[in-house]
Amino acid sequence: MERTKHFDNLIIGAGLSGISAAHYLKKRCPGRSFAILERRAGIGGTWDLFKYPGIRSDSDMHTLGFAFKPWVGAKAIADGSDIMAYLKETVEELALDEKVAFHRTLVAADYDSAKAIWALTIRNEATSQTETWTCRFLHLCSGYFDYDEGHVPTFEDQDLFDGQIVHQQFWPEDLDYAGKRVVVIGSGATAITVVPAMAEKAGHVVMLQRTPSYVVKLPAKDAFANRLRKWLPSGMAYAVTRWRNVLANLISYRLARRYPKQAKSYLLKEMGKHLPREYVTQHFTPSYDPWDQRVCVVPDGDLFKAITEKRASVVSDRIERFTKEGIALTSGELLSADIIVLATGLKLNVFGGASLSIDSEAVVSGDLVTYKGMMFGGVPNLAVTTGYTNSSWTLKADLVSEYIGRLMVYMDERRYVECAPVLDDPEMGRENAINFTSGYVQRAAHFLPKQGERWPWKLAQNYALDIRQLRFGKLDDGVMRFRRCRERVKSGSREEADTVVSRPVRP
């Protein structure tokens, strides 16, 4: 029987968040043993999972890239293959390969408060065997997307369709759409990406949407960043570009939320530079305010170009039913198709789909209140990385990783074995931690953790403010409570007992 593997820290997920967590842990706490558990056969997370045409970043790579690893690619809105190359290069440079245990899925984790240890039930996907791993601190870096299922709505008479139906999350590598009639159902970031990419080879691509989304044209290449690298060392040029883009996004977001009518007018006016006004009014004018849902990026206006060149078109209507030839709409129109792509969104989960418990009592995710956007009230020795909804994911991931590294040093120096934020105000109002009106968020609202009315229980969604709070703020802030493993009385005075830590085992 295989013995239990024990580490000081376990990181779940080898995507952007997991790589960031490993870097800062290794840098700040070289004496701590750690491993990364990854359910897939390779690193990359989301970027290794999705294979649909045109997959690319939806944020500029100078902010989606790591703070510690300059992005030097010519494209700021980068292709998925370039992002994967960047991640692999980072892992190689940091010598993290030996730290990753692949084909390991976290099924459940139970915290033993007497021992201050997490016991993880792990399924080895390669052998179908169950393994037990333990750790002192657990860091979940698996994001909040369900990798096993996407959102797949059921359409009437769907089985009648003679063509092929494909979901964005499970793209067949051998799909041949050259010269074919394609209907892409959806209007979010994936549809905005897939439509112009498929339109390069397809006969014609229709983006069928129920409601419009805001889209904004951005250059795929950042001329400022590319020029700056010619004058400054890559690290310095990257830092300058990163902060320039952070501040520009921060200002534009705050202005959009404070002056939504003006922001909406500006976005529609910008779209009007590329498409006829009537087309913008009919297909690109949402009923909600900017940033009630994420604004979609159109690099170099590729979607607008595909529409003006008649290689793609947009239809705003509702689906009545599928037919043998395609899709019948409530307006009476029939969309003929050889291939239908369901860009209908993702499913969310929490804890990477695992169940958590404390002393065998289940942790109910919907009852939790987030602390500083990365821990939960009453849950010890656990962190979860969740990126920004209004900016690049990695900006927040890096800050969380830095904070955890700093927290580990603080605890080790004082021989603490447990930390847990405590919410002393049960009457404090609560709301969803992710406050988008997007369908994928609303469908998961009942099980998503909540946020409170004030810091540190309310998410800032502000990188500059989070730097001050997470990088420089007090760790012992009166909310975070610390505990030593045990205490004993000797000669009439209290004396701390030594904490026993098992010898680490390599994954």
Side-chain angles (χ1 to χ4, degrees):
M1 182 177 179
E2 187 177 12
R3 66 193 179 106
T4 299
K5 298 181 176 68
H6 178 82
F7 294 85
D8 294 323
N9 291 60
L10 282 176
I11 299 166
I12 308 300
L16 281 165
S17 304
I19 295 170
S20 173
H23 165 73
Y24 285 102
L25 191 61
K26 189 176 181 180
K27 178 182 178 181
R28 295 257 187 171
C29 318
R32 275 195 163 239
S33 62
F34 75 91
I36 307 171
L37 303 184
E38 170 55 51
R39 64 178 297 180
R40 299 175 63 77
I43 68 157
T46 296
W47 299 105
D48 181 58
L49 172 69
F50 291 101
K51 306 293 184 184
Y52 55 78
I55 182 169
R56 52 172 170 75
S57 61
D58 62 350
S59 304
D60 75 278
M61 288 303 300
H62 300 98
T63 55
L64 188 63
F66 301 114
F68 55 85
K69 166 72 173 173
W71 172 261
V72 295
K75 282 187 175 182
I77 308 298
D79 300 331
S81 58
D82 292 334
I83 296 172
M84 278 299 299
Y86 170 80
L87 294 178
K88 289 178 179 178
E89 184 176 271
T90 304
V91 167
E92 183 177 349
E93 290 177 358
L94 297 177
L96 293 178
D97 302 75
E98 63 179 20
K99 297 290 188 180
V100 185
F102 293 107
H103 303 291
R104 264 47 175 227
T105 298
L106 175 61
V107 176
D110 181 67
Y111 184 75
D112 185 331
S113 57
K115 297 178 180 178
I117 293 291
W118 281 100
L120 281 61
T121 301
I122 303 296
R123 183 173 61 250
N124 186 324
E125 301 293 354
T127 65
S128 299
Q129 299 297 310
T130 298
E131 303 171 352
T132 300
W133 297 57
T134 61
C135 65
R136 297 165 60 194
F137 194 94
L138 179 60
H139 191 170
L140 303 180
C141 295
S142 47
Y144 49 52
F145 292 146
D146 188 327
Y147 276 26
D148 295 322
E149 296 182 34
H151 175 58
V152 184
T154 301
F155 300 101
E156 187 176 346
D157 294 335
Q158 184 171 318
D159 293 340
L160 295 180
F161 179 57
D162 265 352
Q164 191 169 359
I165 300 175
V166 177
H167 191 275
Q168 62 184 64
Q169 192 163 321
F170 307 102
W171 199 271
E173 294 183 6
D174 59 349
L175 181 66
D176 179 15
Y177 54 88
K180 303 289 182 66
R181 299 166 299 175
V182 179
V183 174
V184 178
I185 301 175
S187 61
T190 302
I192 297 295
T193 299
V194 167
V195 168
M198 296 189 75
E200 293 179 1
K201 294 194 301 182
H204 188 80
V205 182
V206 175
M207 185 172 83
L208 173 59
Q209 61 180 12
R210 186 172 53 186
T211 56
S213 298
Y214 288 106
V215 296
V216 59
K217 176 185 175 182
L218 290 179
K221 296 182 178 181
D222 188 327
F224 173 83
N226 292 340
R227 284 198 303 268
L228 205 60
R229 280 199 300 273
K230 297 178 180 179
W231 295 93
L232 297 176
S234 61
M236 187 179 298
Y238 180 65
V240 172
T241 304
R242 186 179 178 89
W243 268 107
R244 164 185 171 263
N245 293 354
V246 163
L247 293 174
N249 180 76
L250 184 62
I251 292 170
S252 63
Y253 174 77
R254 295 298 169 189
L255 287 175
R257 299 309 283 169
R258 179 169 293 186
Y259 306 106
K261 290 183 180 180
Q262 292 87 337
K264 181 173 184 175
S265 177
Y266 171 79
L267 289 172
L268 298 183
K269 183 179 179 181
E270 287 298 303
M271 279 186 278
K273 295 178 180 179
H274 310 288
L275 296 171
R277 180 180 299 177
E278 300 78 16
Y279 209 91
V280 173
T281 300
Q282 184 175 2
H283 302 301
F284 290 98
T285 305
S287 58
Y288 56 86
D289 290 333
W291 288 109
D292 282 349
Q293 299 181 24
R294 196 173 175 95
V295 176
C296 299
V297 173
V298 180
D300 292 336
D302 57 1
L303 175 65
F304 304 142
K305 185 177 180 182
I307 292 172
T308 55
E309 292 178 353
K310 309 296 184 183
R311 293 181 287 112
S313 57
V314 181
V315 172
S316 299
D317 207 334
R318 291 179 176 270
I319 296 172
E320 183 167 314
R321 58 187 176 86
F322 278 34
T323 69
K324 183 177 180 180
E325 296 81 15
I327 300 175
L329 305 176
T330 55
S331 63
E333 183 181 359
L334 175 65
L335 296 180
S336 298
D338 302 303
I339 299 172
I340 294 175
V341 176
L342 303 180
T344 47
L346 303 161
K347 285 184 66 177
L348 301 190
N349 65 20
V350 290
F351 314 141
S355 59
L356 300 189
S357 56
I358 300 174
D359 296 328
S360 300
E361 183 176 343
V363 173
V364 180
S365 59
D367 293 341
L368 298 176
V369 182
T370 184
Y371 168 81
K372 296 185 178 179
M374 61 181 179
M375 298 177 77
F376 302 109
V379 183
N381 292 8
L382 175 79
V384 177
T385 292
T386 303
Y388 292 117
T389 56
N390 63 346
S391 191
S392 293
W393 178 278
T394 320
L395 290 174
K396 183 63 179 290
D398 276 346
L399 288 180
V400 171
S401 299
E402 279 189 79
Y403 179 94
I404 297 305
R406 193 160 65 99
L407 180 63
M408 297 300 98
V409 171
Y410 182 87
M411 292 176 65
D412 288 345
E413 287 175 346
R414 292 158 181 79
R415 302 180 75 178
Y416 291 131
V417 297
E418 183 179 282
C419 63
V422 177
L423 178 57
D424 287 327
D425 182 7
E427 302 302 320
M428 184 175 62
R430 304 180 183 188
E431 62 182 25
N432 285 333
I434 304 176
N435 56 9
F436 271 1
T437 61
S438 305
Y440 68 93
V441 174
Q442 298 305 310
R443 289 190 295 269
H446 62 287
F447 62 77
L448 291 177
K450 306 300 185 289
Q451 64 176 334
E453 296 177 323
R454 58 185 178 275
W455 180 263
W457 304 105
K458 187 174 180 63
L459 278 68
Q461 296 292 355
N462 183 315
Y463 181 62
L465 181 59
D466 279 342
I467 282 182
R468 188 180 74 182
Q469 301 285 8
L470 299 183
R471 185 177 291 170
F472 302 110
K474 289 181 62 177
L475 294 168
D476 190 359
D477 59 0
V479 175
M480 183 74 80
R481 310 291 169 81
F482 298 91
R483 177 174 75 89
R484 294 184 174 90
C485 189
R486 59 185 182 271
E487 293 181 333
R488 63 170 176 252
V489 178
K490 183 177 181 181
S491 300
S493 63
R494 273 192 157 180
E495 179 182 71
E496 297 168 15
D498 290 335
T499 301
V500 179
V501 180
S502 304
R503 179 174 297 176
V505 180
R506 284 185 58 185

